[in-house]
Amino acid sequence: DRAGGFTKDAFLVGGRFTREKIARLKKEQFEEMADNLEIDVARLSAAPPVAGGEKNVEKQKIAIAGLKQLADKLRKAEHDGRLVIKLMSSDKLRNSGYNVILRDGDALYIPKRPDSVLVMGEVYNSMAFLYEEGSNSDDYIERAGGLTEIANEDDIYVVKADGSVIPAKRGFFTSGVTMGTGDVVVVPEKRRIISGMELTKDITQILYQLGLSAAAFKAVGVL
């Protein structure tokens, strides 16, 4: 109300509320993940040479280098401290359970209504497409050229404009997630095998959260 209320172009679903404390907690979480990741790197580096000759040894070296880069990227990642909220007209919001009590440093950004849906990740043509009412995530994946050979079909997800996440399972009995304007379809890469072991849970969380942050930013037009 003090800011004059919402304009006619305000996209309430995509409103982004951020809190400094949440950003600090997220950063601490990522730092802990990076610490655990570097411990795993040290163990892998100290492990006996991989059986199978120089080819496998070289693969192990490449894997170690990649994990170190991932830990570095994790430490440098920026966190906006986003809290998923629900906005509505001020008269309805005032007496609802969604009327968040503010703290010093909180910020609320209301974007202009977008007209597109973004598809990113392991598709043949990552880009934004004009929103069409009634279309689902599978429809937009097909418009992006379909999945690549290294796409992880089981872990596709949709980042809604409000920041919430919905798994988008594909199959004969599912038809994807119904999309809204400003939503993002994320198609992750298949997890790879390193020295006979799957990537650790920490690494999976890192990749997921980094990808999720980027998708959330794009959903509200920040990137």
Side-chain angles (χ1 to χ4, degrees):
D1 287 343
R2 296 180 191 178
F6 301 120
T7 70
K8 62 181 180 62
D9 295 321
F11 184 48
L12 302 189
V13 175
R16 193 176 81 254
F17 181 87
T18 59
R19 175 162 287 172
E20 292 179 352
K21 182 178 180 181
I22 296 176
R24 289 196 300 270
L25 291 174
K26 196 66 173 291
K27 181 174 178 59
E28 290 173 2
Q29 181 188 35
F30 270 47
E31 289 287 346
E32 183 178 353
M33 286 183 181
D35 290 341
N36 293 335
L37 182 57
E38 289 174 348
I39 291 173
D40 291 338
V41 169
R43 289 174 179 169
L44 188 58
S45 300
V50 179
E54 294 183 2
K55 185 176 181 180
N56 283 338
V57 171
E58 186 62 26
K59 285 183 178 180
Q60 186 170 356
K61 290 180 179 179
I62 294 173
I64 291 172
L67 295 179
K68 288 180 178 178
Q69 291 178 0
L70 182 57
D72 182 62
K73 184 175 181 180
L74 181 61
R75 294 193 187 281
K76 294 179 179 178
E78 297 184 2
H79 311 286
D80 66 346
R82 184 173 185 179
L83 176 68
V84 176
I85 60 172
K86 184 175 181 179
L87 291 176
M88 56 197 76
S89 60
S90 60
D91 57 326
K92 294 180 179 178
L93 180 62
R94 185 178 300 280
N95 296 316
S96 75
Y98 301 104
N99 192 11
V100 180
I101 301 299
L102 299 180
R103 300 178 183 176
D104 187 32
D106 287 352
L108 177 62
Y109 170 70
I110 309 296
K112 185 177 180 179
R113 178 176 295 278
D115 58 3
S116 61
V117 166
L118 179 67
V119 182
M120 59 185 293
E122 293 304 322
V123 292
Y124 284 101
N125 188 21
S126 295
M127 65 182 301
F129 298 88
L130 284 176
Y131 169 70
E132 293 186 16
E133 188 173 358
S135 294
N136 59 43
S137 54
D138 284 354
D139 296 327
Y140 285 103
I141 288 173
E142 293 306 314
R143 291 172 196 172
L147 304 178
T148 67
E149 293 181 356
I150 61 173
N152 188 343
E153 187 171 354
D154 293 331
D155 288 335
I156 297 171
Y157 57 92
V158 172
V159 181
K160 305 296 287 183
D162 65 0
S164 58
V165 179
I166 302 176
K169 297 292 185 181
R170 291 163 58 91
F172 292 108
F173 302 104
T174 58
S175 57
V177 175
T178 299
M179 303 294 290
T181 182
D183 292 351
V184 181
V185 183
V186 182
V187 182
E189 183 180 346
K190 289 179 182 177
R191 283 182 287 180
R192 300 186 179 184
I193 304 300
I194 294 180
S195 301
M197 299 185 302
E198 243 184 47
L199 290 179
T200 63
K201 182 180 179 181
D202 283 340
I203 300 173
T204 303
Q205 289 178 323
I206 290 166
L207 293 172
Y208 170 78
Q209 295 192 46
L210 288 176
L212 182 58
S213 296
F217 285 147
K218 289 178 180 292
V220 294
V222 176
L223 297 177

